[in-house]
Amino acid sequence: MSPSVESSVSLPTYFIGHAGVGLLFDDRPRNEIVQANLRAIGEEILALSPRPKAIVAFSGHFEAGEIHGPGVIEVNVKRGTHIQHDFVGDFHDSKPFVYEYDWPHQDAPELAAQLWDRLRKAGIKAKRVERGVDHGVWVPFKVMFPEEKPLDIPVIQISTFHGYNLESQIRLGQALESLRHEGYLIVGSGMAVHSFASIDEIIDAPTEEEREVIRAKVLDESRAFDTHLRAAVTKKNAKERNEALLKLETLYEFKRSHPTVEHFTPLLVAAAAAGDAEVDALGVDVVDPGFSYLNLRFA
């Protein structure tokens, strides 16, 4: 993707572990750590100078629709986007207040349309769509940018590719690398480990003793994959980093940590878009059975 306006300043690229809607109301110490990690990233973003013209967000809850087939990217060009209460669980009986959450924000449909056009000119099939902002963006952003420190930058959502071709997600990130030099801040929102299947295994164990055995096994798997991922993503050279990230798919722990890949692919896009930028893990490490809340900054 050829840059239209070069800048002497390259903005960082971020990957955040977005968690579920429980991030907003869970008062357990572990969740407070996750919240604090995200708030610190939000403060970093608000302190960036010069100010980004827009945040380009990739979420684990925005894959291109299967109806378009493989190899297609969707760009949200809707004006006045609502937030989607698109939660994995049904909270209508247990926590109905979650459906009252809102997150005021700015759109940039004109800029989104420009990015759609640029993707097409870069040889990527892209379609314009109109949708709301999914919880992979607004839930963590609601923590990162609270009412007293609101986000003053518009948000553009672009999908990842539909399906399991991880190399295509790397190519998408590479096509967007030039945006970092043009005032766009790229944020991938997913999770380094995301396995509800593993959680179900723990829950479905017939006895408490077996449940603890499975919980320990899943935690070991999650920590192992988190460690492998950190080693891969901290490669100094972009080519080596991308190759190392793709090789993770061959690990036993990969399928255990990502039975489906939609929460992993935003990390691939963000890492590839960062080029040779150095990477740092941000905040306090939090790895639970089936989940890792790893946050990364590429700069």
Side-chain angles (χ1 to χ4, degrees):
M1 181 179 291
S2 300
S4 58
V5 179
E6 282 287 347
S7 168
S8 60
V9 177
S10 294
L11 287 172
T13 295
Y14 290 92
F15 172 78
I16 58 173
H18 68 231
V21 71
L23 178 70
L24 301 178
F25 59 79
D26 188 342
D27 59 1
R28 290 176 297 177
R30 297 282 277 183
N31 191 60
E32 291 176 354
I33 294 172
V34 176
Q35 290 176 327
N37 288 343
L38 289 172
R39 278 196 297 269
I41 296 172
E43 291 172 0
E44 271 193 23
I45 291 173
L46 291 177
L48 288 173
S49 180
R51 306 297 294 133
K53 68 173 68 172
I55 292 177
V56 180
F58 295 85
S59 166
H61 296 277
F62 186 20
E63 284 186 304
E66 187 176 4
I67 189 172
H68 293 143
V72 176
I73 287 299
E74 295 178 1
V75 180
N76 188 24
V77 296
K78 183 175 176 60
R79 186 181 303 277
T81 51
H82 60 285
I83 67 167
Q84 298 178 175
H85 296 96
D86 55 339
F87 311 130
V88 175
D90 183 340
F91 294 96
H92 287 89
D93 294 325
S94 59
K95 294 180 174 61
F97 60 85
V98 301
Y99 299 100
E100 298 176 9
Y101 282 137
D102 198 4
W103 179 61
H105 60 282
Q106 302 175 37
D107 303 316
E110 293 82 6
L111 291 178
Q114 291 177 22
L115 296 185
W116 163 78
D117 189 50
R118 290 181 59 177
L119 285 168
R120 291 170 61 245
K121 290 176 178 176
I124 293 176
K125 296 178 182 178
K127 294 188 178 292
R128 290 168 292 183
V129 298
E130 302 210 359
R131 71 192 300 273
V133 179
D134 63 71
H135 81 264
V137 174
W138 72 262
V139 164
F141 279 24
K142 191 174 177 68
V143 173
M144 294 162 66
F145 309 108
E147 290 183 9
E148 62 272 19
K149 296 180 180 179
L151 181 64
D152 58 351
I153 306 165
V155 177
I156 299 169
Q157 274 206 271
I158 299 179
S159 78
T160 56
F161 285 107
H162 176 80
Y164 286 78
N165 182 348
L166 299 186
E167 190 174 351
S168 69
Q169 316 291 355
I170 294 287
R171 291 196 299 271
L172 174 61
Q174 290 170 329
L176 296 168
E177 182 181 351
S178 64
L179 295 182
R180 297 177 56 233
H181 311 288
E182 300 174 51
Y184 290 95
L185 182 72
I186 295 172
V187 177
S189 176
M191 296 195 77
V193 176
H194 183 269
S195 179
F196 280 110
S198 296
I199 299 302
D200 288 341
E201 288 182 22
I202 297 170
I203 294 172
D204 294 341
T207 67
E208 184 59 36
E209 182 179 3
E210 291 176 86
R211 190 170 297 116
E212 287 304 314
V213 170
I214 296 172
R215 181 181 287 111
K217 175 179 179 290
V218 170
L219 181 57
D220 285 345
E221 292 167 347
S222 299
R223 285 176 171 162
F225 185 74
D226 182 85
T227 299
H228 286 302
L229 190 156
R230 289 168 187 262
V233 82
T234 50
K235 300 287 185 184
K236 300 296 184 183
N237 174 274
K239 184 174 184 293
E240 292 178 0
R241 177 187 294 155
N242 294 338
E243 290 175 350
L245 286 169
L246 291 174
K247 286 180 181 177
L248 293 174
E249 190 178 13
T250 66
L251 298 174
Y252 162 78
E253 292 89 355
F254 177 84
K255 190 64 176 177
R256 295 289 299 167
S257 299
H258 292 283
T260 56
V261 298
E262 76 286 338
H263 280 71
F264 182 64
T265 52
L267 191 155
L268 297 179
V269 175
D276 288 322
E278 294 187 5
V279 62
D280 291 294
L282 303 177
V284 178
D285 296 342
V286 178
V287 180
D288 290 331
F291 299 104
S292 166
Y293 300 87
L294 175 65
N295 301 300
L296 301 168
R297 181 210 305 118
F298 301 84

